[in-house]
Amino acid sequence: MSAFVRTLFGRRARRRWIHLILGGALAMPYVFVGQLIVGPAVDARYVFYDIVWQLVSFAVGLPLAAVTSLFPLTRTLESGAVRALCGVDADTLAYGPARSRAAKRRTAAWFTLHLGLGGIVSGMSLAVPPLAAVLIALPVVAGLTGGRMGMPEVFGQPWVLALSAPAGVAVLVALAAVAAGCGALLARWAPVLLGPGPEDRLAAAEARAADLAVRNRLARELHDSVGHALSAVTLQASAARRVLDSDPEFVREALAAIEDTTRRTVGELDAVLGVLRAGDAPGTAPAPTLADDLEGLLRRTRAGGTELTADIAADPAAVPPMVSREAYRIVQEGLSNALRHAGGEVPVGLRLAVADGGLEITVENPVTGAATPCRPGGGHGLRGIADRARLLGGTAEAGAVEGTWRLRVRLPLTASPAHSAQSRGSA
């Protein structure tokens, strides 16, 4: 019994009833237009006061509702109302404008169904409760005054008065049952008529892919900048601690390098986080490049006591900006990997050269027994380097060669239009 009551009068049933009433309200302008169309054919009195002609006007107005439902916002508004009031899973609904003809036809069918059932339930909701109230009150009024409250003469019969109140309650229950049934019907058909079509799924997949590309880009930026900074600061602090008493000048240089490294990293972190904050600009600090920031990167790396040999055979200022930004991050991550896994006391070699229309980046360091193993969940740096190279149409190789760990990356200085567009989309 309680389940039956919840079905007819529970929270979900009430919200769906409101959705139907909303459909009836939306149907009213179309009913008025239908009356104007039907009016010249009959006496206006019959159009406005006769229930049959009211239903005819309603039927004439529904096709007009189907036509106006072709406006782009119709599906968006209807999907929002269904999600809020009908208890339909949001993932089964499409919220953008209908793009294809099939989607527009489904939207028109839904809008017509919503207004049709809503108009019927709204009319019943206006007419049935007063009738039920009269039926329920009739036995009391008849017993006190002997009147029939304007009802036909048959309502003065004792057996009719005895059934009047139960009939009034039954009428209200029937109204609730009709509303619940119509609401359940709309909730069942909503995913079919307002659900995403193939074009909507394709658009959603493209949006997810673009969002994933941005997230991957931000993850690479955070990993490369923050990871390198932490590795460099750790080595600088360790080297300064070892010579704290014997070489105060080196300690001062190491602390200055730590300060410079952390300041730059905080600026880069703010720029990346600015992209994540809704409504913020894409960043407040420019991305580092070979021309502007390579010397500082080498200086900060050497400040930790690392023996770094740099052979810069290419002019950093001549490298295109897009390639320069990605090349800086690749060099940064290559040095960071060497410091993190080989330790700060092994020599590291860096070479930049231009050959065959491409920028070649090589980072080498000896593979020693004291090398730090890759931490659990690591390996993101090399994968990020490969992603950066692939976005520009280049290649990346990494591995041990005759006792030397070698990272070799080649970036074309003139990226193809497809790779340029892809790189801009992921930036």
Side-chain angles (χ1 to χ4, degrees):
M1 185 62 182
S2 59
F4 176 75
V5 173
R6 284 196 304 271
T7 301
L8 297 187
F9 302 101
R11 183 173 181 271
R12 173 176 292 182
R14 295 196 305 269
R15 294 172 70 90
R16 290 176 176 177
W17 200 335
I18 294 173
H19 183 251
L20 289 166
I21 297 297
L22 177 62
L26 293 174
M28 288 304 298
Y30 302 101
V31 174
F32 292 150
V33 175
Q35 291 173 345
L36 295 177
I37 296 175
V38 175
V42 298
D43 192 332
R45 293 176 301 174
Y46 296 108
V47 173
F48 289 100
Y49 298 107
D50 189 276
I51 183 62
V52 175
W53 287 111
Q54 286 286 337
L55 293 176
V56 172
S57 301
F58 181 56
V60 171
L62 283 180
L64 301 177
V67 173
T68 58
S69 67
L70 299 178
F71 286 105
L73 288 179
T74 301
R75 187 170 70 165
T76 302
L77 296 175
E78 285 291 319
S79 296
V82 168
R83 180 184 62 83
L85 297 175
C86 290
V88 177
D89 188 357
D91 294 336
T92 63
L93 303 174
Y95 289 91
R99 295 177 175 85
S100 65
R101 292 183 178 180
K104 292 179 180 179
R105 287 195 296 267
R106 292 196 302 270
T107 302
W110 166 264
F111 196 62
T112 305
L113 181 64
H114 181 202
L115 268 60
L117 294 180
I120 294 173
V121 173
S122 297
M124 294 178 62
S125 299
L126 291 174
V128 170
L131 174 62
V134 170
L135 292 176
I136 294 173
L138 183 59
V140 178
V141 174
L144 295 176
T145 66
R148 299 193 306 273
M149 300 178 62
M151 301 295 285
E153 185 176 351
V154 68
F155 281 86
Q157 299 295 328
W159 65 273
V160 174
L161 292 175
L163 296 177
S164 178
V169 174
V171 168
L172 289 176
V173 173
L175 171 61
V178 170
C182 292
L185 179 64
L186 288 179
R188 180 176 181 179
W189 278 95
V192 177
L193 299 178
L194 293 178
E199 66 284 349
D200 299 305
R201 295 187 179 92
L202 178 60
E206 292 175 348
R208 286 193 296 269
D211 180 69
L212 182 61
V214 172
R215 291 175 180 272
N216 288 339
R217 176 73 179 189
L218 296 178
R220 288 196 301 269
E221 294 293 328
L222 286 175
H223 177 276
D224 292 351
S225 62
V226 177
H228 172 79
L230 292 177
S231 298
V233 166
T234 300
L235 291 176
Q236 291 161 355
S238 176
R241 178 179 56 81
R242 289 195 299 269
V243 298
L244 180 62
D245 298 326
S246 60
D247 194 349
E249 182 63 27
F250 179 83
V251 173
R252 281 193 291 269
E253 292 178 0
L255 292 177
I258 291 174
E259 180 183 5
D260 182 46
T261 300
T262 54
R263 182 184 296 111
R264 289 182 55 84
T265 304
V266 168
E268 294 180 12
L269 182 61
D270 287 341
V272 174
L273 294 180
V275 180
L276 295 176
R277 299 188 185 101
D280 281 9
T284 58
T289 62
L290 291 178
D292 298 330
D293 303 279
L294 180 60
E295 288 298 327
L297 175 64
L298 300 180
R299 183 179 64 255
R300 292 189 297 273
T301 302
R302 293 188 178 107
T306 301
E307 182 183 344
L308 174 60
T309 303
D311 180 9
I312 311 300
D315 182 10
V319 179
M322 183 183 301
V323 179
S324 184
R325 290 193 298 269
E326 300 302 326
Y328 176 88
R329 290 303 190 191
I330 291 173
V331 172
Q332 184 184 52
E333 180 59 26
L335 295 177
S336 178
N337 281 341
L339 298 178
R340 184 184 303 118
H341 300 302
E345 298 180 355
V346 300
V348 179
L350 168 67
R351 175 175 172 79
L352 295 181
V354 175
D356 299 328
L359 177 66
E360 294 184 353
I361 304 171
T362 305
V363 180
E364 296 180 331
N365 62 270
V367 177
T368 65
T372 303
C374 183
R375 67 189 184 281
H380 298 293
L382 293 178
R383 186 159 57 246
I385 290 174
D387 289 342
R388 292 180 186 276
R390 185 175 60 253
L391 286 174
L392 294 178
T395 58
E397 300 176 356
V401 180
E402 298 180 354
T404 299
W405 179 268
R406 179 177 299 159
L407 169 67
R408 178 173 294 170
V409 180
R410 187 179 188 282
L411 304 177
L413 294 178
T414 304
S416 65
H419 288 110
S420 298
Q422 187 176 8
S423 182
R424 286 193 301 271
S426 63

